[in-house]
Amino acid sequence: MRFYEYFISSLPFLSFLMPTPLSYEKFLEESSRFIPEKEHKVLKSLSVSQHYLEKKYRLFEDSLRNQLVLLRAQGLGKDALKYLHTGIDDDAQLSLVASHAMRQLSILEAEIFLDKQRWEKLDELLQGHFFDLEFLIVYAHKLLILERWEKIRSADKQLLWDNLLSFN
């Protein structure tokens, strides 16, 4: 196991919904200078990586999405089976999370709630990891969450509203 104390110590602190202190692309660029290529490939291809921590996070994400699909399909009177991912963990806690998200008053509040759950899962996966690749994987995911909210905050809201109203 390799440790990257100097690089990780130089990274800016991340907090949920804060402005993004650096982009995911900049993070990848900087990390390429400090970690071996094999480990850097894991950071560049998070969604397809076979790293054990990434697999755990994907299982969580897919399971959460499945719970949302089940609730949405039930509300629409549709069969959810064709939209579900296979081999997903049936976690009762995620069912409660999905149910709570669906009860939010706005889509924005629901998305904030879901991303907060993702952030907390990443913190859980980070337990016991301080200066290693696992820390960097979690950091990368958190950067991606922050970048998503940066895009939402900077979107042209009037244009989005006009497009929504003209959708009829």
Side-chain angles (χ1 to χ4, degrees):
M1 177 179 282
R2 295 179 185 225
F3 294 98
Y4 309 105
E5 299 93 343
Y6 299 112
F7 174 57
I8 290 174
S9 296
S10 74
L11 293 171
F13 177 75
L14 302 179
S15 181
F16 185 63
L17 293 183
M18 72 178 275
T20 309
L22 78 155
S23 70
Y24 174 68
E25 288 303 318
K26 181 71 172 167
F27 168 73
L28 289 177
E29 181 184 315
E30 290 297 315
S31 64
S32 70
R33 299 181 10 209
F34 295 99
I35 67 173
E37 180 60 28
K38 180 180 177 188
E39 293 187 351
H40 193 255
K41 284 181 181 179
V42 172
L43 297 177
K44 289 192 300 189
S45 59
L46 291 176
S47 63
V48 295
S49 168
Q50 293 303 307
H51 189 278
Y52 80 93
L53 190 133
E54 183 59 31
K55 286 181 180 180
K56 284 183 177 182
Y57 184 66
R58 268 198 316 269
L59 176 64
F60 166 81
E61 180 67 27
D62 288 346
S63 298
L64 177 58
R65 288 172 184 256
N66 270 357
Q67 292 299 326
L68 291 167
V69 165
L70 288 169
L71 289 172
R72 289 174 181 152
Q74 181 182 18
L76 296 170
K78 303 260 182 183
D79 179 21
L81 289 179
K82 65 180 181 177
Y83 302 106
L84 297 175
H85 289 106
T86 58
I88 303 303
D89 187 19
D90 188 24
D91 185 347
Q93 182 65 30
L94 288 179
S95 178
L96 292 173
V97 166
S99 178
H100 184 77
M102 296 292 286
R103 287 192 311 269
Q104 296 302 307
L105 296 177
S106 74
I107 295 170
L108 189 61
E109 288 176 17
E111 288 300 315
I112 289 171
F113 175 76
L114 290 170
D115 276 350
K116 180 70 172 160
Q117 299 306 305
R118 291 176 178 106
W119 193 276
E120 289 173 3
K121 181 62 176 184
L122 290 165
D123 283 342
E124 178 187 314
L125 293 172
L126 190 59
Q127 299 274 327
H129 299 283
F130 302 102
F131 298 104
D132 54 10
L133 177 62
E134 288 77 6
F135 180 95
L136 294 173
I137 291 169
V138 167
Y139 193 90
H141 275 290
K142 286 182 172 184
L143 275 177
L144 292 170
I145 290 171
L146 293 179
E147 279 188 351
R148 177 174 179 258
W149 283 99
E150 201 71 33
K151 288 177 189 172
I152 291 170
R153 281 192 292 271
S154 66
D156 183 344
K157 286 145 184 75
Q158 185 61 47
L159 178 64
L160 292 173
W161 183 250
D162 292 344
N163 287 341
L164 181 65
L165 291 177
S166 68
F167 187 66
N168 300 338

